[in-house]
Amino acid sequence: MLRQILFFEIRYQLRRPATWLYFAILFLLAFGFLSSDAVEIGGGRGKVLKNAPWVLANTTIILTAIGQVITSALVGTSILRDFQTRTHELLFTTRISRVGYLAGRFGGAFVAMLVVYLAIPLGALVGSVMPWIDHDKMLPIHLANYLHPFLLLGLTNVLFISAAFFAAGALTRNQFVVYTMGIFLLVAWSVTGQLTRDLRNDWIGALLDPFGIQPFTLATRYWTVADKNTLLVPLSGFVLWNRLAWLAVSGGLVALTLGAFRFRAQPASLGLRWRHPKLAVAGVPGGLGGDDRPGITIGSRAAHAAAERLATAWAGVSGAASRGRQLLAVTRLAFASMTRQVSFLAIATVGAVNVIMSAWFANRMDQVTVYPRTYLIADAVVGGFGLFFVILLTTFVGELVWRERQLGADQIQDALPVSPALHLVGRAAGLVGAMAVLQAVLILAGIAVQTVKGYHEYELSVYLRTVFLIEFPFVLQYALLAFVVHTVVNNKAVGHVLLLAWWVSLITLDTLGFEHLLYQFGVRILEFPRYATFAQSFPNTIPFSEGIGFITEADKDDAGRDLPFMVTAHEVAHQWWGHQVMPAGVQGETMLVESMAEYSALMTTEKEYGRHAMEKYLRAELDWYLRGRGTEDKRELPLALVEGQGYIRYGKGGLTLYALRDYIGEDAMNRALSSYVRKVAFQEAPFTTTKDLLAEFRAVTPDSLQYLVKDLFETITLWDLKTDTATAVRRADGKWVVTLGVAAKKVRADTAGAERPIPMGDYVTVGVFGPKKAKDDALGEPLYLGKHRITAATSRIEVVVDRPPERAGIDPYHLLIDRNHKDNVRDVERH
Ligand SMILES: [Zn+2]
């Protein structure tokens, strides 16, 4: 029996035009992305080639995540079909077993979903071989690069999506729940994105993302151009745990469905009684109620009342006044019938939750806490609901246009003394009114978030302008487009799909890193409006954008880095680096200006906040550099030859100069710098280059550390440092003996990021730390800091400290470039 149902279901699904329509959409998106620049999903820019394994993986998971919104109907309907056609009561009288029925239906739908989603690798493959594309910008075709991400991430996603929609359909027998859940899943993805942006709780976001996008992004965030072009996504770490978790969830959902589903005419009670409204139209047979179908709920009392008012208006005679009354009545009916619907409320609620989440995180910028100024919250309100407007309008415009035809009442309507134009205008007005009310509610949500955060400068005019003057015109445009599409395309489902496909093709998911404009700003500080976000140094003024420092909550304990302080220090430092030292316009020029200013800023910050506070500043520089090199579109150059890349001249530059200072000492560093400035300040042509500065560095660096100048400035060198064990034993004299088991590797990279190992013989900082002084200091007060020479792949290090150690490890301040910098330090096990 199971087999019959299974094969019947597969045959049925594969014969449906909708199945192949979904297939075509996904195929065209993948095909369009690979074969043209018109579709931008999944990245692939500069030197990262379009069919690189990383890009193909990114495209696969993003398309499965977005695709589930439109394909939800496929699985949902496999079980809803029997209820919609009302054959379920008949079916339940047969000898079909419950499990056989469910497993057959689910299996069939799952196979159909797999067929639909195979369109992604297939479309990508076909797109890659099109004759018109530039094959120099593509890798040779390796089937594994196309199939691996589908098998690893796509397949598990399809299984989860199928299980989730099947469970929702079987247990609630309600298509709205099925539709709304797809949106819930998108919101989950977006929320996990917010979580992973903060390095402190990224693993939570990585685990909770149902589609595996966040763990994939985390696992590959420091991949270089060469890595992205050659490596397959490894099934380990974040990715592995995420996939296992969601496989378990999928299994749980299937088991739940098999266990809880009953052959009963009514759905299992899940508190969904609101799905049975009293029918307002008396005497209408049950079938017409159609409360399982979207949008034609004609049930609520309010809608009934509005309908009566409409009838009263119709009863009047012609004339401008009565036309006005009719218009008002149609508008009110459209407004009421839309806003009283559970589906409308459900989508709006999910959207509002997303808005509140976005607003909640809106004052956390790049690991710095800023005041929840109204413009930030208003932007979050607008950004957080954009997708939901698209969904609401796509769905409800369809319902408004199609209602009479679905109810079979269109001919009655044609006979009424109300012109079709008036109907259309009235409905559009009702729709727009509903959207406006929704916008107002969202503003209130934003104000609530500000209030909870203890911020009371609400600036209502900023809200109103952002929401109604900037966002609302787009909503109106889309509503108009939806009306036109639904009126012209004479099929509701096709209209929906067209609108959603249009939207999907519009969004460009820029997952490829991001430019930090924060430091593109380069003694008096001048505030200027946030039409640009930079600061710059002039001989006696520093123009400073209101968007990048004035709103920082710098006095908070866990506010992250004090950027106003550091940025100001950076700009002031340009009085030396840039104003006195003016380098030649050759490779390395910006190291002498920007890296030096960034170094001066780090040093000033250290003087102000103490060395223990520097970990987060250096980690941010390291993160900037590591993310940036993965998006390099020409070639990565060593710092001394930098050609202007921000991630090198600021991120790597500041970190590397700080590291040199740490190794050779501040006195030696300052001797080199003051000697250099004396020689080259205010010079005439020929101007100075990095060669002159490196010569000064070499002159003050001891022989044992000369290798550092080459490693830090003249080559691209990376380390992989790790603390495997950290234990401490209390001696009889009260001191603590700390023993570390550490691992160390060193590699050199070429300009595309391809690495080769080189021998390790380096001095590395060993640190032991006590209690934390501030909430967000990752390390705590140093009890011991010293340089130890590490030559082996693994070694044991022993140091003695006076007080109880809490954390210990190697290279705790991230002075050496290390992609796995989170494992440098660990908690000490005290015995
Ligand atoms: Zn600068």
Side-chain angles (χ1 to χ4, degrees):
M1 203 66 200
L2 189 150
R3 267 189 40 199
Q4 275 118 312
I5 296 179
L6 178 70
F7 287 119
F8 170 83
E9 186 66 30
I10 294 175
R11 266 199 312 276
Y12 172 83
Q13 294 282 6
L14 295 186
R15 274 203 217 119
R16 289 176 74 198
T19 305
W20 297 104
L21 183 66
Y22 300 142
F23 181 93
I25 291 171
L26 291 176
F27 182 93
L28 285 177
L29 282 173
F31 175 87
F33 170 62
L34 264 295
S35 65
S36 76
D37 290 330
V39 184
E40 251 194 69
I41 299 163
R45 260 192 295 183
K47 291 281 171 187
V48 180
L49 303 175
K50 273 234 167 149
N51 63 342
W54 181 87
V55 177
L56 289 170
N58 204 19
T59 309
T60 304
I61 42 183
I62 288 175
L63 280 182
T64 47
I66 295 173
Q68 53 97 15
V69 181
I70 50 172
T71 55
S72 59
L74 210 139
V75 183
T77 51
S78 73
I79 192 109
L80 287 176
R81 199 166 65 234
D82 296 323
F83 301 103
Q84 279 175 339
T85 54
R86 304 200 175 254
T87 50
H88 59 295
E89 294 174 20
L90 201 66
L91 191 78
F92 294 165
T93 64
T94 64
R95 284 192 298 142
I96 296 175
S97 80
R98 196 168 53 88
V99 171
Y101 167 76
L102 287 172
R105 280 278 148 90
F106 174 71
F110 175 60
V111 170
M113 285 285 270
L114 270 188
V115 171
V116 167
Y117 280 90
L118 267 172
I120 297 172
L122 206 63
L125 191 63
V126 176
S128 317
V129 297
M130 286 299 106
W132 60 80
I133 55 176
D134 184 356
H135 285 274
D136 294 341
K137 291 187 178 158
M138 300 289 259
L139 293 166
I141 308 287
H142 289 296
L143 222 50
N145 292 351
Y146 293 79
L147 284 178
H148 181 270
F150 184 77
L151 295 176
L152 182 69
L153 298 157
L155 192 69
T156 39
N157 275 346
V158 172
L159 180 67
F160 165 67
I161 296 165
S162 307
F165 286 117
F166 191 73
L171 297 181
T172 69
R173 305 182 187 176
N174 183 317
Q175 199 154 27
F176 281 148
V177 176
V178 174
Y179 280 143
T180 325
M181 197 176 61
I183 303 157
F184 257 115
L185 293 178
L186 277 190
V187 173
W189 167 28
S190 136
V191 169
T192 56
Q194 307 270 17
L195 288 172
T196 44
R197 263 199 295 175
D198 198 326
L199 289 175
R200 288 178 301 187
N201 47 20
D202 51 9
W203 63 273
I204 305 177
L207 205 61
L208 291 183
D209 174 7
F211 304 113
I213 296 171
Q214 311 303 352
F216 166 76
T217 308
L218 275 185
T220 63
R221 71 182 145 181
Y222 298 147
W223 278 20
T224 62
V225 172
D227 292 342
K228 286 177 178 171
N229 282 334
T230 51
L231 299 183
L232 293 170
V233 185
L235 184 56
S236 59
F238 287 132
V239 179
L240 177 68
W241 287 112
N242 172 283
R243 290 295 86 183
L244 286 178
W246 289 97
L247 267 181
V249 171
S250 312
L253 283 171
V254 173
L256 175 79
T257 314
L258 293 182
F261 182 83
R262 292 282 172 273
F263 274 173
R264 277 201 306 252
Q266 292 303 317
S269 172
L270 288 174
L272 294 167
R273 253 159 295 161
W274 37 263
R275 282 307 309 151
H276 301 282
K278 288 197 186 84
L279 286 178
V281 184
V284 173
L288 201 61
D291 55 333
D292 281 329
R293 279 173 288 168
I296 51 169
T297 311
I298 47 177
S300 74
R301 286 204 187 92
H304 188 38
E308 271 173 1
R309 279 196 296 278
L310 183 64
T312 317
W314 278 340
V317 282
S318 60
S322 79
R323 266 204 301 280
R325 283 220 310 280
Q326 287 174 349
L327 182 66
L328 193 66
V330 173
T331 304
R332 284 166 83 167
L333 177 63
F335 182 91
S337 68
M338 188 171 158
T339 52
R340 304 294 167 112
Q341 279 191 51
V342 173
S343 55
F344 179 90
L345 294 175
I347 297 172
T349 307
V350 179
V353 169
N354 195 45
V355 162
I356 290 170
M357 289 298 293
S358 309
W360 189 260
F361 287 103
N363 71 328
R364 190 84 197 153
M365 299 163 77
D366 195 36
Q367 311 206 37
V368 174
T369 306
V370 301
Y371 291 107
R373 299 281 296 170
T374 298
Y375 78 84
L376 288 173
I377 304 295
D379 283 352
V381 166
V382 166
F385 208 79
L387 166 67
F388 297 91
F389 275 123
V390 171
I391 293 166
L392 280 176
L393 291 171
T394 305
T395 315
F396 285 93
V397 169
E399 298 314 320
L400 286 177
V401 171
W402 280 88
R403 191 168 48 196
E404 278 76 20
R405 273 180 277 187
Q406 268 184 338
L407 288 171
D410 47 336
Q411 296 183 353
I412 300 176
Q413 194 198 14
D414 290 348
L416 290 174
V418 178
S419 75
L422 192 141
H423 255 290
L424 207 61
V425 172
R427 284 171 186 194
L431 180 86
V432 169
M435 295 298 138
V437 170
L438 201 50
Q439 294 272 32
V441 172
L442 295 175
I443 291 179
L444 291 180
I447 291 175
V449 168
Q450 285 181 305
T451 310
V452 172
K453 283 181 175 272
Y455 187 84
H456 304 292
E457 246 180 83
Y458 299 119
E459 297 179 281
L460 208 57
S461 69
V462 173
Y463 271 121
L464 293 175
R465 265 181 289 157
T466 310
V467 170
F468 284 104
L469 290 184
I470 299 173
E471 166 77 353
F472 210 57
F474 289 106
V475 175
L476 292 182
Q477 276 174 18
Y478 187 82
L480 192 68
L481 177 76
F483 261 108
V484 170
V485 167
H486 274 297
T487 312
V488 172
V489 178
N490 208 17
N491 179 310
K492 191 170 73 166
V494 173
H496 283 168
V497 169
L498 274 181
L499 284 165
L500 280 173
W502 173 82
W503 168 73
V504 169
S505 70
L506 263 193
I507 53 163
T508 57
L509 284 163
D510 191 2
T511 53
L512 271 178
F514 36 84
E515 282 293 311
H516 282 249
L517 286 172
L518 214 53
Y519 281 150
Q520 303 291 4
F521 33 90
V523 155
R524 202 152 21 148
I525 297 177
L526 267 173
E527 182 178 358
F528 69 85
R530 62 187 165 96
Y531 49 70
T533 46
F534 66 88
Q536 195 177 356
S537 181
F538 290 109
N540 62 1
T541 47
I542 297 177
F544 204 131
S545 167
E546 66 167 351
I548 53 161
F550 288 94
I551 56 171
T552 305
E553 297 199 64
D555 51 350
K556 265 202 176 174
D557 196 24
D558 61 346
R561 295 172 293 151
D562 184 352
L563 283 188
F565 182 89
M566 190 173 158
V567 171
T568 308
H570 175 110
E571 299 311 327
V572 174
H574 278 311
Q575 303 286 340
W576 284 263
W577 314 111
H579 290 188
Q580 294 181 38
V581 175
M582 288 170 288
V586 296
Q587 284 183 323
E589 176 191 7
T590 54
M591 172 182 145
L592 295 175
V593 178
E594 296 302 346
S595 306
M596 287 310 303
E598 191 72 358
Y599 165 71
S600 309
L602 283 171
M603 289 304 295
T604 318
T605 307
E606 186 193 284
K607 300 282 179 227
E608 178 74 12
Y609 284 97
R611 177 160 180 160
H612 72 278
M614 292 310 288
E615 190 271 345
K616 57 179 177 269
Y617 291 88
L618 298 169
R619 178 157 40 91
E621 303 278 355
L622 177 62
D623 193 55
W624 189 352
Y625 166 66
L626 289 173
R627 281 177 192 269
R629 64 199 297 259
T631 60
E632 173 65 56
D633 55 8
K634 295 192 186 74
R635 56 202 176 119
E636 180 185 347
L637 289 161
L639 178 58
L641 299 175
V642 60
E643 286 179 345
Q645 299 98 322
Y647 71 92
I648 299 178
R649 65 182 182 187
Y650 299 109
K652 186 181 188 182
L655 178 65
T656 289
L657 287 157
Y658 186 93
L660 183 69
R661 189 288 313 228
D662 196 83
Y663 275 91
I664 65 175
E666 194 171 343
D667 285 348
M669 187 75 172
N670 287 347
R671 270 205 313 282
L673 295 181
S674 68
S675 156
Y676 176 66
V677 173
R678 267 201 311 279
K679 282 180 199 160
V680 306
F682 304 114
Q683 73 188 155
E684 307 275 320
F687 294 102
T688 180
T689 68
T690 48
K691 278 189 178 165
D692 303 327
L693 183 60
L694 293 193
E696 299 286 348
F697 286 158
R698 284 208 161 89
V700 297
T701 301
D703 288 350
S704 62
L705 292 172
Q706 284 287 337
Y707 71 90
L708 267 178
V709 180
K710 183 174 182 185
D711 285 354
L712 297 180
F713 299 97
E714 295 177 330
T715 57
I716 305 167
T717 306
L718 288 92
W719 289 261
D720 187 2
L721 305 167
K722 186 174 180 226
T723 302
D724 288 315
T725 57
T727 53
V729 182
R730 198 187 161 103
R731 276 199 321 214
D733 63 359
K735 294 190 177 188
W736 292 83
V737 181
V738 182
T739 309
L740 300 176
V742 301
K745 269 187 285 199
K746 184 177 182 182
V747 297
R748 198 150 280 164
D750 68 14
T751 55
E755 296 168 357
R756 66 187 166 83
I758 58 170
M760 175 90 190
D762 299 21
Y763 286 92
V764 179
T765 313
V766 173
V768 180
F769 303 88
K772 295 184 181 185
K773 285 191 166 172
K775 240 199 265 175
D776 69 336
D777 286 343
L779 295 173
E781 183 198 359
L783 305 178
Y784 171 87
L785 284 174
K787 298 279 188 290
H788 293 235
R789 188 153 184 264
I790 296 180
T791 52
T794 57
S795 36
R796 265 167 66 93
I797 298 168
E798 213 176 83
V799 297
V800 178
V801 292
D802 293 337
R803 280 176 289 154
E806 295 194 5
R807 274 161 298 281
I810 53 172
D811 197 26
Y813 293 100
H814 322 297
L815 300 175
L816 303 174
I817 307 287
D818 182 348
R819 264 191 294 231
N820 304 309
H821 48 80
K822 277 190 163 182
D823 58 12
N824 286 16
V825 172
R826 60 188 306 136
D827 289 343
V828 175
E829 278 179 47
R830 289 198 296 240
H831 297 292

